[in-house]
Amino acid sequence: MIIKECYLLQKICPSILSADFAELAKDANRMADAGADMLHVDIMDGQFVPNISLGLPVLECLNKKCDLPMDVHLMIVRPQDYIQRFAKAGADIITFHVESDCNPLECIQQIKACGCKAGISIKPNTPVMEIKPYLALVDMVLVMTVEPGFGGQSFMQDMMGKVYELRSICPDLDIEVDGGINHETAKIVTEAGANVLVAGSYLFGAEDASAAIASLRY
Ligand code: DX5
Ligand code: ZN
């Protein structure tokens, strides 16, 4: 299935994990000017993943200086404890991991009660079956195409079976992929049915950000 022929909008989301953290607003706006649709904000707590990125005050400041919708990817052990605060700090979409220590149903309800869109994510070893009960309730599913934790890893093509399966079950749902996305892999994920593409190192490492963003659109 090629999403281009479908009515779902394709969205390109630069992941700020690969930005210059001392120049975050400048880098985020560089991506906005280059045609990005959302900004992907990776939140890591050093426990759910073996890395620490940034937190609430940074999102709050960034949101004041950048008009892009904030696509917040929570890679934290207890997402439920922080949903309201991330919403208040400016998140537009809040995505949590089904593998985290949470009640997924309550998480989704809390995210929506805050006025945000709700996303649910699966790591590479987690099957679609784990999130099936929640598919009708969420606005987006995030299929990780690397082990979460770090930018610049290699794309896992064997995750495409999950994207294809999800697209078959949910023709209208935003399906996001995250990890190892570049010009070549964007074609693969789009053909499998993904329409929301996160890219960190590929976009922030590009000399011409507009051309790089355009190169992900199929
Ligand atoms: C990894 C993060 C990604 C990461 C992607 O855990 O969730 O958003 O920044 O980086 P690239 O595009 O470089 O693989
Ligand atoms: Zn991410």
Side-chain angles (χ1 to χ4, degrees):
M1 179 189 294
I2 297 185
I3 290 304
K4 210 170 168 181
E5 293 165 6
C6 170
Y7 66 85
L8 270 178
L9 274 182
Q10 195 188 43
K11 289 167 215 154
I12 305 299
C13 313
S15 160
I16 58 162
L17 200 57
S18 291
D20 177 348
F21 273 34
E23 301 275 6
L24 261 188
K26 193 174 142 204
D27 254 6
N29 283 316
R30 191 164 64 84
M31 290 298 152
D33 294 344
D37 299 290
M38 301 198 282
L39 199 64
H40 184 83
V41 184
D42 287 301
I43 308 293
M44 303 175 175
D45 65 355
Q47 292 192 59
F48 185 76
V49 290
N51 199 5
I52 298 174
S53 55
L54 54 91
L56 290 157
V58 179
L59 174 64
E60 195 175 346
C61 293
L62 189 58
N63 188 48
K64 286 181 190 149
K65 296 201 169 175
C66 177
D67 289 337
L68 286 175
M70 298 288 155
D71 173 33
V72 174
H73 177 192
L74 296 181
M75 286 165 274
I76 62 178
V77 174
R78 297 188 54 79
Q80 246 172 293
D81 295 351
Y82 296 93
I83 285 168
Q84 284 181 353
R85 279 180 278 175
F86 276 105
K88 200 159 173 258
D92 294 283
I93 304 176
I94 299 180
T95 298
F96 66 96
H97 273 266
V98 74
E99 305 89 353
S100 65
D101 184 6
C102 73
N103 177 322
L105 194 59
E106 287 176 15
C107 263
I108 295 164
Q109 285 167 346
Q110 282 179 20
I111 293 169
K112 292 194 166 178
C114 292
C116 297
K117 287 191 171 177
I120 193 164
S121 182
I122 45 176
K123 295 204 284 185
N125 287 330
T126 306
V128 166
M129 192 181 66
E130 299 286 327
I131 53 169
K132 266 198 182 150
Y134 313 111
L135 291 177
L137 307 170
V138 293
D139 301 287
M140 186 169 82
V141 170
L142 166 54
V143 176
M144 290 305 299
T145 43
V146 296
E147 277 301 332
F150 299 92
Q153 302 182 76
S154 298
F155 175 73
M156 298 167 81
Q157 186 155 353
D158 47 343
M159 295 301 115
M160 292 308 96
K162 292 199 271 187
V163 174
Y164 191 82
E165 183 184 351
L166 281 162
R167 180 54 74 210
S168 316
I169 312 171
C170 311
D172 303 335
L173 189 64
D174 276 336
I175 299 179
E176 183 174 56
V177 284
D178 182 7
I181 302 299
N182 56 34
H183 174 58
E184 283 79 34
T185 57
K187 183 170 196 288
I188 298 169
V189 298
T190 303
E191 285 178 354
N195 66 307
V196 184
L197 277 56
V198 175
S201 47
Y202 179 70
L203 294 180
F204 283 98
E207 259 178 44
D208 182 341
S210 305
I213 287 176
S215 80
L216 297 180
R217 299 192 195 274
Y218 281 93

